[in-house]
Amino acid sequence: MRRFNNRILTSSFFASTALGLAMPAMAQDAAADEDDDVIVVTAQKREQNLQDVPIAINAIGNEKLDQLQVSELQDVVKFLPSVTIQQGGPGFAQVYFRGVASGENANHSASLPTVGTYLDEMPITTIQGALDLHAYDLARVEALAGPQGTLYGASSMAGTLKLVTNAPDPSGFYGGAGVEINNVAHGDFGAIYEGFLNVPIAEGAAARLVGWYRDDGGYIDNVAGARTYASSGITQNNAALSEKNYNDAETYGARLALGIDLDDNWTIKPTLMGQVQQTEGSYSRERSGQTTGGLQTVQYNPESSKDKWIQAALTIEGKIGNWDLTATGGHLRRKTETESDYSDYAYFYDALAGYGNYFYDNAGNLVNPNQYIQGIDRYKRTFGEIRIASPADAPLRFIGGLFYQRQSHNIEQNYIINDIADSITVTGTDSNIWLTKQLRVDRDYAAFGELTFDVTDKLSLTGGGRYYKFDNSLKGFFGFAAGYSGDKFDPVLGDFAVDGTGEAACNGQPAIVRGSPCTNVNKSTSDTGFIHKLNATYKITEDALVYATWSRGFRPGGINRRGTLPPYGSDKLDNYELGWKATFGAFRWNGAVYQQDWNNIQLSFLGANGLTEIRNAGIARIRGVEMDFGYRVGGFSLNAGFSYNDAEIRRDFCRVANPQFDCTLPLPDSKRDNDLLPDDNELLAPAGSRLPVTAKFKGNAIARYEFPVADWDGHVQFAVNHTGSRRSDLRPAQNTLKGNLGAYTTADFSIGVKNEVWAIEAFATNLFDTRGVVNTGVQCLETVCGTGVTAATPTGGAFYDVLIKPRVIGLKFSRDF
């Protein structure tokens, strides 16, 4: 459904700004005029030339982001060779570095991400992924590969992604606005409207106001379908929801930033930023007997999401003597409301196990067992950091500080079957067969520091450490009503009670989370530890250096919501890396070779009753190399980069872990005599299995030529990206069912002209309309929803592939003033 009123109002505002102002250009955004050969980054929490930073880092500046048609997170990632993204749709993405991925399903009660995402100084990663910020008026994006735990802390185990915004500039009044009209192949038209103002408000003080609105056209068709449930004979169809271009999206937001120089030494920088992203439909192509291939799905219940967040942050920078002091803090609130189809779960379990016989109304008549999910997730994140840094030009340099963050996730997931009997409805809900109502809290504390000593003019040694503590908890309710009598369930003594599932397992414990009927999970876990970084850097010349690094990252442990399972502990990543950075006139060559040892891996998978379980059950090794090249002469530039990662587990992965990694050993008594699980252990993935999600090879190349056109500057640009094949699952059996994610190559093209005020550009992304798959999955266990070929279900299973966006052709106009 399109939202015409909002779009017309926003279009009118931005169009009048872009086309109606005729003021001469007074100043230009410094980041927009950035020299491609000199990019300043803050990877080590100091401003440094990228070529002087002895870590593997890719940075894309303001102007380059615009040239590459970057508007959202997945657009950035395709130009970062060491980074992989796994999406379920806008606003729900997991980011990975260098193959450090075990196939996490991003469940609300599962592991924290392995990659930290920062917006300026503030970490913004929530448990179900990074914020999908519209990429406008960014100074740059920095991708810091490898463990960044010393300076960046928890959830930067495998790397850190930094989004750095343009700061207010007190030097003058200026601004810009842009309009883009586009069309997605096989789908609808879309548009983007953007604008910013930089306003001096006093001597040494300025404000920057930024706004954006994006309307993305849909391209997935929800085609007509029907299915008959085996137990009741009830037939269901989706006629009311069938629609072409089912998956449209609307994104709008704003940022207000202030920069105030209190005197020559002290500056304060408050920022307020927010965004709303609303989607309709599904972003997955369905593979089943009900579709004919292409961009189709068959969904029987409404699907949508509304993701809104607001962030307030404050940074204070100053000097104490000749030392720099930075105090920064912020608060983020995020709320996501989702509707999801869950009818496959109902259909296949009914066909294979007769589950439809357990869903009836108050009169005892069977009802349509169709299920759907309505979710509300509320996140709060508060963080603070204070650090000091000695003079950057001293032979002995120190940076260190204290860090704190608290993030909470209020989880509400309603699994609904309409018109079921009161006796099988979760207490306090209208028609829930299942309710998850929990509060998860993750707390992190740390003291950190790095000390660098210039042994000679050419050789520098760095040692760093971070002492950390985490304290994480999960409490609330999940499960069925006390009266539900499903398969393998006794409401008094059955396995669901033993496993802490549903009201029968509350054992009289009152509700401690508002909105839940009672409490069947209330656990916490905490730990302390130390991680390190050692680095040696040698400057061969002023334009060339080599370095060697041994660093460690970690990810905090947490709580398994199934009551009989213990908490899972931290996992750690050791990185051994040799790298170089060199500039030879117009040519730049950076690279690194590395080995990463991933220990005590938090492996997550769907266990009994479809509940996510996390075990510290794995050891993996990743060997890789990454390089990036740059060449610029006159109006021609060529940039290319690639990464190669050989990532595999080194020990057998058992269903129930043991210190010997031996899946033939008998289970302990505490794991036996459970009707939900077999008494014997099970080999889920043998040693040598390749880690999923990340390709062995990923690379890109960008060629650009700039030339004069009368009084204008013209350009033509061509970019190509390649992502190799990937496993969809660590476990061979499940990977066979879902299939590998195939390799794909895309090409982008643009041509345009600009002068000091105006810019006009035509572009095409994914020029050849490639069908690249970034994620695939099913609605329940792969062995149920992914197979199920019986007389009652002749169409077999249903898999859902999340695709890269089809070809987009667009036209952009922008004006600076």
Side-chain angles (χ1 to χ4, degrees), residues 29 44 110 146 160 225 246 256 313 362 420 474 497 539 593 595 599 623 680 690 694 710 714 720 758 781 814:
D29 186 349
Q44 295 187 313
T160 300
Y246 183 52
L256 175 61
N362 285 327
I420 57 175
L474 181 69
K539 297 205 72 170
V593 294
Q595 176 172 309
N599 295 300
R623 289 174 172 168
D680 295 328
R690 180 177 158 195
T694 299
V720 62
W758 291 94
L781 289 173
S814 63

Side-chain angles (χ1 to χ4, degrees), residues 425-584:
T425 299
V426 177
T427 302
T429 69
D430 292 332
S431 199
N432 275 33
I433 192 66
W434 176 286
L435 171 68
T436 299
K437 185 60 179 173
Q438 299 171 332
L439 179 64
R440 173 176 179 165
V441 179
D442 294 75
R443 307 170 185 86
D444 296 283
Y445 314 83
F448 62 90
E450 285 191 2
L451 186 67
T452 300
F453 176 59
D454 294 335
V455 180
T456 69
D457 291 343
K458 295 182 177 293
L459 176 64
S460 299
L461 301 177
T462 297
R466 190 180 188 98
Y467 178 80
Y468 65 84
K469 176 183 179 180
F470 66 82
D471 186 359
N472 301 334
S473 63
L474 181 69
K475 59 185 179 181
F477 173 84
F478 69 104
F480 299 103
Y484 179 62
S485 184
D487 185 41
K488 298 182 182 177
F489 173 76
D490 182 290
V492 179
L493 300 174
D495 292 306
F496 286 172
V498 173
D499 284 348
T501 306
E503 293 184 59
C506 287
N507 298 319
Q509 296 298 314
I512 55 178
V513 175
R514 183 182 300 177
S516 60
C518 53
T519 299
N520 58 17
V521 59
N522 186 5
K523 287 189 173 184
S524 63
T525 185
S526 63
D527 198 5
T528 59
F530 178 83
I531 56 175
H532 66 270
K533 174 184 176 181
L534 299 173
N535 172 273
T537 302
Y538 186 79
K539 297 205 72 170
I540 302 171
T541 68
E542 284 300 310
D543 297 319
L545 64 82
V546 294
Y547 67 87
T549 297
W550 175 27
S551 59
R552 173 174 290 178
F554 85 103
R555 177 169 52 168
I559 300 299
N560 271 295
R561 62 171 171 163
R562 185 184 292 280
T564 57
L565 295 179
Y568 53 92
S570 301
D571 50 359
K572 292 182 171 64
L573 186 74
D574 281 302
N575 179 57
Y576 309 92
E577 181 172 332
L578 295 173
W580 63 92
K581 295 190 173 184
T583 304
F584 308 101

Side-chain angles (χ1 to χ4, degrees), residues 650-672:
R650 304 295 293 165
R651 298 288 189 275
D652 289 346
F653 170 34
C654 310
R655 177 174 56 80
V656 177
N658 56 59
Q660 296 81 17
F661 297 95
D662 186 349
C663 304
T664 65
L665 294 178
L667 295 181
D669 291 341
S670 61
K671 302 296 182 182
R672 300 173 66 87

Side-chain angles (χ1 to χ4, degrees), residues 84-101:
T84 300
I85 190 170
Q86 189 177 43
Q87 282 193 302
F92 301 94
Q94 296 289 321
V95 178
Y96 303 99
F97 273 84
R98 290 182 171 177
V100 182

Side-chain angles (χ1 to χ4, degrees), residues 609-630:
N609 314 123
L611 296 179
T612 297
E613 300 180 4
I614 302 99
R615 319 281 181 121
N616 294 103
I619 296 174
R621 184 190 67 199
I622 302 156
R623 289 174 172 168
V625 57
E626 57 194 32
M627 295 186 193
D628 70 86
F629 311 87

